[in-house]
Amino acid sequence: MDKLPSAKPYLLRGMVQWMEDNALTPQILVDATLAGVSVPPEHVKAGKIVLNIAERATVKRELDNDYVSFGARFGGVAREVWVPMAAVLAVYARENGQGMTFPVEGADTPPEAPTPPPTPERPKLRVVK
């Protein structure tokens, strides 16, 4: 069986549509350090950038299987944005934080959730004579 394409672009488009249908503002978290990412570098913090991808905030927005692209204003300056799908880390609504994160592409296994600390043993009572 051939390898299936990534589900990420389909999930991203579905989440964006759900958010916009419910008057929420879709935002994506992007790893700006990956090759091919073209975002305003002055807005990148710790290698990441959050982008408002609402239809009303963008020009010629494309949510393609391989990339997200659009024109937008940053500090009043018109800029073109290009984000390879591999650089999209999460999509969520600005108003309530609902959304989803995506596994890092190319990783053999999905990231593991942190393990909780072990619960301490209960004290045991014993009879002392």
Side-chain angles (χ1 to χ4, degrees):
M1 181 172 153
D2 292 333
K3 183 179 176 194
L4 289 173
S6 171
K8 183 191 291 189
Y10 301 93
L11 295 169
L12 175 67
R13 285 190 293 267
M15 291 299 295
V16 168
Q17 181 178 352
W18 173 79
M19 290 173 200
E20 290 182 338
D21 286 353
N22 289 285
L24 298 171
T25 306
Q27 296 183 314
I28 56 174
L29 176 63
V30 174
D31 181 348
T33 65
L34 290 183
V37 174
S38 178
V39 296
E42 64 272 18
H43 296 284
V44 174
K45 304 237 186 306
K48 311 263 188 302
I49 186 169
V50 174
L51 299 169
N52 176 351
I53 61 167
E55 196 168 37
R56 67 183 177 277
T58 60
V59 177
K60 297 182 182 175
R61 179 184 74 183
E62 283 189 64
L63 304 175
D64 188 79
N65 284 355
D66 298 319
Y67 61 86
V68 173
S69 71
F70 58 90
R73 293 194 168 275
F74 293 85
V77 179
R79 304 287 287 270
E80 292 298 316
V81 173
W82 180 274
V83 178
M85 197 56 68
V88 178
L89 303 174
V91 58
Y92 62 94
R94 177 182 4 193
E95 293 80 3
N96 61 16
Q98 287 190 336
M100 66 187 317
T101 59
F102 300 108
V104 176
E105 290 186 21
D108 291 336
T109 57
E112 293 182 26
T115 55
T119 54
E121 278 191 43
R122 289 185 56 172
K124 296 178 183 164
L125 297 176
R126 63 178 196 239
V127 177
V128 178
K129 294 187 181 183

